[in-house]
Amino acid sequence: MLPGIFLVLFLITNFNYLWQGDLIRRNFNKYVKVIVLYSQHLLILIYFSGMNSIETEYQVEKKRGPGSSLLFLVFMVLCGLFVGQFVGVVVIMMVSGQSIESLAPVLADPLSQPDVKNYLFILQGVSVVFGFILAPILHQLIIDKTQPSTLFHTKNLKLIPILVVGFIALTMMVANSAVIEWNMAVDYSWLSPGFEEWAKVKETELRELTEFLTTFDSFGSFIAGFFIIAILPAIGEEYVFRGLLQPKLQNLTGNHHMAIWLTAFIFSAIHLQFYGFVPRMLLGGLFGYLYFWSGNLLYPMIAHFVNNGFTVLMMYMFQQKMTDFDVDATESVPTTTVLLTLLVGVGLVIYFRNFFRKPVIQDAG
């Protein structure tokens, strides 16, 4: 299963190269027609599946095995991401008024044309909505026969744990800086010289893309970036990884610790940034435990949002000379500060766990 997943991920992440080579451009009109029909059927299925789920809520349903449900989830998310790429291009064409021929070179090399940043925001945003929100909703309604609301227990949504989660995210950002510094210097040549070379190239490409997207020349650009980089990933990624994937892996393995760390491993791997792999996996593990202990997906969503949102906000404030603190600075954080924030963070994590005492999480399928 994993080779197939990474193959599709490769196709998605190299969409611009396929476009530049005319593989997509030649049959673009056909793809648009198929995508429009797919989108119409997607909305119809979500609507009627929601109705059917309500009608049969108290009936005994034949449950699929966790392995089968997991395969369906992976397939639907990947299809959603792939379709989202095309829909994003259509939206860009509608907004810009440009033809597919004029857009092709722009999207093939966006970093050389700063004025197309909003196009990348659209492409990224639409892909996340289709791949990490609409497709998983469809999966939950059609395959798992459950409502998305089952992942959110509003009765245990309290102000104190919300604040605690926010401070956990902030303290762990500082503590994680030491792991980030260590991971940046990891030698991957023991795996394969070819892999190390590829990882370095990919790291450079994604770092340049991140710098491009987080260089804000206006308040409007900051708002757009904040929505695409902080809000959408917090909702979509936590919905897929912690809300759906983690419970399925728990059913499959019979061990919640293994499920949490397997999910965190996959979560970090799909970002394709292996010189930040370990700190991102640690964050994923933290988000996983927040969900397991509380049974409410809103808590890891809040932590994810604070982690991304604080970084984007500080970048904007530094660029506008509103603060001297450069969140992207490469200087090492003093060891005393790392240890102190780690101690505070661990204390807050323990408090959060004890607040809920025992897990109330329900399997998503």
Side-chain angles (χ1 to χ4, degrees), residues 67-289:
S68 173
S69 181
L70 179 60
L71 288 174
F72 273 109
L73 174 63
V74 172
F75 174 75
M76 295 181 75
V77 168
L78 293 177
C79 286
L81 286 171
F82 202 69
V83 170
Q85 293 277 310
F86 288 103
V87 175
V89 173
V90 174
V91 173
I92 293 172
M93 291 173 61
M94 294 171 62
V95 171
S96 66
Q98 297 187 52
S99 66
I100 187 66
E101 288 76 16
S102 59
L103 276 176
V106 172
L107 294 181
D109 186 21
L111 298 186
S112 64
Q113 306 179 59
D115 57 333
V116 303
K117 183 185 297 184
N118 289 335
Y119 295 170
L120 292 183
F121 281 150
I122 292 173
L123 197 61
Q124 175 71 10
V126 174
S127 296
V128 171
V129 169
F130 269 80
F132 287 93
I133 298 178
L134 292 181
I137 288 176
L138 183 62
H139 172 272
Q140 203 173 353
L141 294 174
I142 298 291
I143 305 301
D144 289 345
K145 303 294 184 183
T146 59
Q147 291 286 332
S149 59
T150 59
L151 304 176
F152 305 92
H153 299 280
T154 54
K155 289 183 179 180
N156 70 359
L157 188 64
K158 310 290 184 181
L159 178 60
I160 290 179
I162 288 176
L163 295 175
V164 168
V165 161
F167 282 111
I168 287 174
L170 291 175
T171 55
M172 290 306 182
M173 285 178 66
V174 179
N176 217 11
S177 63
V179 184
I180 293 173
E181 184 178 0
W182 165 80
N183 201 167
M184 288 294 293
V186 167
D187 181 7
Y188 284 108
S189 61
W190 63 275
L191 280 174
S192 164
F195 173 80
E196 183 182 37
E197 173 112 12
W198 173 84
K200 287 181 177 179
V201 171
K202 183 60 66 175
E203 187 75 22
T204 301
E205 289 177 353
L206 293 176
R207 183 174 63 250
E208 290 176 351
L209 179 62
T210 301
E211 291 175 356
F212 175 71
L213 293 176
T214 54
T215 301
F216 307 112
D217 52 10
S218 67
F219 183 70
S221 177
F222 161 69
I223 293 299
F226 192 84
F227 180 75
I228 298 299
I229 299 170
I231 297 178
L232 276 184
I235 296 172
E237 292 181 6
E238 292 310 305
Y239 180 29
V240 170
F241 289 100
R242 256 57 67 176
L244 297 179
L245 180 60
Q246 181 174 304
K248 295 179 192 304
L249 289 176
Q250 182 176 334
N251 279 351
L252 204 60
T253 63
N255 186 300
H256 69 272
H257 295 296
M258 186 177 294
I260 287 171
W261 289 109
L262 274 175
T263 302
F265 180 90
I266 298 170
F267 167 73
S268 186
I270 68 156
H271 286 81
L272 299 178
Q273 290 179 282
F274 292 93
Y275 287 94
F277 182 88
V278 176
R280 189 175 291 106
M281 185 177 71
L282 292 176
L283 274 180
L286 172 64
F287 299 156
Y289 281 107

Side-chain angles (χ1 to χ4, degrees), residues 3-16:
I5 293 175
F6 285 113
L7 174 60
V8 179
L9 285 174
F10 173 81
L11 293 174
I12 293 171
T13 55
N14 290 277
F15 174 81
N16 290 337

